[in-house]
Amino acid sequence: MINKIKFFVILTISILCVLLPQIANAINYEQISEIAKKITVLIDGCNSGSGVIYQRQGNTYYVLTAKHIFDNSAVGCLAIAPDGTRYEINSNDVLVPIANVDLAVVSFNSNQDYNLATIGNSQQATSGKNVYVVGAPEPSIAIPKRTTLVVSGNIVGRQSSQEGYELIYNNATSRGMSGGAVLDAQGQLIGIHGQGDRVDKEKTGLNLAIPIETFLKAEIANIPKPISASTPLSSPEPQVEVNYSTLENQLKTLAWKEANDTTVKLMLQLVNRESEGWFTKESLAQLPCEDLKVIDSLWQKYSRYKPVFGEEQSKFGFSVQKTIFEEIVRQQGVRNANAFNLFAQALEWSGGWGEKNYESISYKLDARAGHLPALPGVLPLAQKSDQSIESLRTQAGEYATRGIIILFVGLPGGIMIIVPVLSYFIISIIRPKSDYDKWDDDNEKIVIIVVLVLVSSIVLCFSLLMCFHSNRLQNEATQKHNTLQKSIPTAGSKVLAGIEPLISSLERCEFSKFK
């Protein structure tokens, strides 16, 4: 009896050890759906399909999708981004990463910021695991417009590769979803959907995907790999050698401002943005985890303090910031805009979303936990100035248009309508009534000419006034633009880096607590 009890206790503990980490890491459907829709593009203009944004280089986005959508050519194909913007797919050639595997990589150019897929571990996609297939079906009677759907289901099996297809699942899919992402319970990309099982041309309800590991393992020339993966095939080495001795010396002497400035300089060096002096969303995503861990360990080590109650702990560091955000998400139950705003308030980066004045950061140990290091950001001030410049130019165009309208419409209209009426009115007043015969035609001509000159002068004055005002606004816009171009690094250094991309960058890395 005792042996049976021991057996069941051990079995229960074993099951909990397996299930609890999965439950802890899983996120709800609403979060999965939000992640999925931000990384999915619709393929249109040729055959209908879907794809997932997985990489960006400069202004070029790379989309992983299914090869059979294109028939070896992307002529006329469009990529419809998550915000609905339509982009022409680059070149006439579809990049095929692996021969005899139904995968393709296409690209489009945009200066907008779009999310990139986080790469998961498709080897862990075993039977029973929950997965989500993402894509936009072709229009139907019930759904007349292509809409991105996120369909939940389960892995039901795995087969040997057939044109790359291995994963089998029971998610409902339709035509137009081929090339779309298959996500795991953490919202990470584990496969590319592209095939439905059929018997006598009737769908069985089962569908297949190519595991992401197939793409990751391939030796691919001229096709970029994802920025990061949860299970990389090899650990990338830092691209830039960085010396941290200056930072350590500054932290030892509690020179917080100097240490923060050095941290910023070192991190900018890692992503080759020293000349710009501020971080973009993409540059934050490219920071090597190994270097972030070194910087974090130094900040943790030299910001140790003992609170009134509790054990000694670190006040500053990326790991402290990450822990605070994770606790906020745990309490809120969702990772959304409100969570980022609460995080900003918790660190006294008030204003939310990194809009706090960078110059007002506190460089004291009694600042809020996680307050440092603080990074200069993505130029919301400059962007706001850009909007005001565009507004000035729009107004200038409107005034120039009014001046032209007044000149070419007002002048002929005044000559044909206002001059005769006004002349008749003036003549009727000044013409002598008692001696009508003494008033000759020459006098009438003089009045008409005077009125004509007067009306024309007024119209011309208004037209010139509009054009002058337009020119003044154009000059003001140009002056503001030139000033902004000269002060971009300054403008960037006055705001904090965007909180969402900062957190996303930290979430890629596993930090250790200082002991």
Side-chain angles (χ1 to χ4, degrees), residues 32-298:
I32 293 281
S33 182
E34 183 178 355
I35 292 169
K37 291 178 180 179
K38 288 182 178 180
I39 60 174
T40 298
V41 299
L42 281 61
I43 308 297
D44 206 357
C46 45
N47 296 325
S48 296
S50 303
V52 56
I53 305 173
Y54 77 92
Q55 172 63 288
R56 177 179 183 177
Q57 293 182 349
N59 286 337
T60 301
Y61 284 95
Y62 291 88
V63 177
L64 187 59
T65 182
K67 180 178 66 175
H68 70 258
I69 297 172
F70 300 97
D71 297 328
N72 298 319
S73 175
V75 175
C77 293
L78 300 173
I80 304 175
D83 61 1
T85 306
R86 302 169 75 90
Y87 299 98
E88 287 188 8
I89 291 177
N90 291 332
S91 82
N92 297 333
D93 297 324
V94 177
L95 302 174
V96 180
I98 313 162
N100 301 319
V101 172
D102 190 23
L103 283 178
V105 173
V106 295
S107 63
F108 65 90
N109 297 330
S110 173
N111 57 9
Q112 298 297 312
D113 288 331
Y114 297 118
N115 288 13
L116 307 181
T118 301
I119 307 302
N121 187 345
S122 53
Q123 293 177 336
Q124 295 178 356
T126 54
S127 294
K129 292 289 182 68
N130 189 211
V131 292
Y132 301 83
V133 177
V134 189
E138 292 181 348
S140 63
I141 296 174
I143 309 176
K145 183 179 179 181
R146 293 192 70 191
T147 304
T148 301
L149 305 181
V150 183
V151 184
S152 177
N154 298 95
I155 296 287
V156 297
R158 189 162 186 155
Q159 67 172 12
S160 58
S161 177
Q162 302 290 328
E163 291 190 334
Y165 289 103
E166 297 182 30
L167 300 178
I168 308 171
Y169 40 87
N170 58 13
N171 308 56
T173 64
S174 301
R175 288 178 62 88
M177 295 179 72
S178 287
V182 178
L183 305 179
D184 63 14
Q186 287 75 46
Q188 298 175 330
L189 180 65
I190 61 168
I192 296 297
H193 167 74
Q195 194 174 82
D197 182 46
R198 296 176 183 272
V199 175
D200 296 330
K201 298 184 179 181
E202 294 292 328
K203 292 193 71 172
T204 65
L206 299 179
N207 295 280
L208 296 95
I210 300 172
I212 195 64
E213 70 194 66
T214 302
F215 179 62
L216 295 176
K217 288 180 179 179
E219 294 296 330
I220 306 171
N222 303 321
I223 299 179
K225 286 287 189 73
I227 288 176
S228 63
S230 60
T231 54
L233 300 177
S234 60
S235 299
E237 296 295 328
Q239 296 180 347
V240 181
E241 291 294 330
V242 177
N243 188 335
Y244 294 102
S245 57
T246 301
L247 174 60
E248 183 164 17
N249 291 333
Q250 291 168 340
L251 288 170
K252 276 182 182 178
T253 58
L254 307 185
W256 303 115
K257 185 178 187 310
E258 291 77 7
N260 193 83
D261 292 343
T262 300
T263 297
V264 170
K265 182 179 178 180
L266 292 173
M267 293 175 68
L268 289 169
Q269 183 182 344
L270 288 168
V271 291
N272 298 316
R273 291 188 62 81
E274 293 171 279
S275 60
E276 290 85 352
W278 46 274
F279 294 92
T280 63
K281 179 179 179 180
E282 294 73 34
S283 60
L284 287 171
Q286 293 169 359
L287 286 166
C289 282
E290 292 307 313
D291 291 279
L292 289 178
K293 289 177 184 178
V294 173
I295 294 171
D296 174 67
S297 65
L298 292 173

Side-chain angles (χ1 to χ4, degrees), residues 422-485:
L422 187 59
S423 299
Y424 176 79
F425 178 74
I426 294 173
I427 291 171
S428 65
I429 293 175
I430 66 175
R431 184 173 57 193
K433 296 179 181 179
S434 57
D435 195 359
Y436 182 82
D437 294 333
K438 291 183 179 180
W439 184 267
D440 54 25
D441 291 340
D442 290 336
N443 293 327
E444 289 188 0
K445 290 178 182 177
I446 292 171
V447 171
I448 292 172
I449 290 172
V450 170
V451 171
L452 178 62
V453 171
L454 180 64
V455 171
S456 300
S457 299
I458 293 173
V459 171
L460 287 172
C461 283
F462 270 107
S463 178
L464 290 172
L465 184 64
M466 293 294 106
C467 292
F468 174 78
H469 191 50
S470 171
N471 187 60
R472 185 183 67 81
L473 291 174
Q474 283 283 15
N475 290 336
E476 185 179 347
T478 301
Q479 186 177 2
K480 277 193 173 185
H481 175 75
N482 292 337
T483 302
L484 178 63
Q485 290 300 310

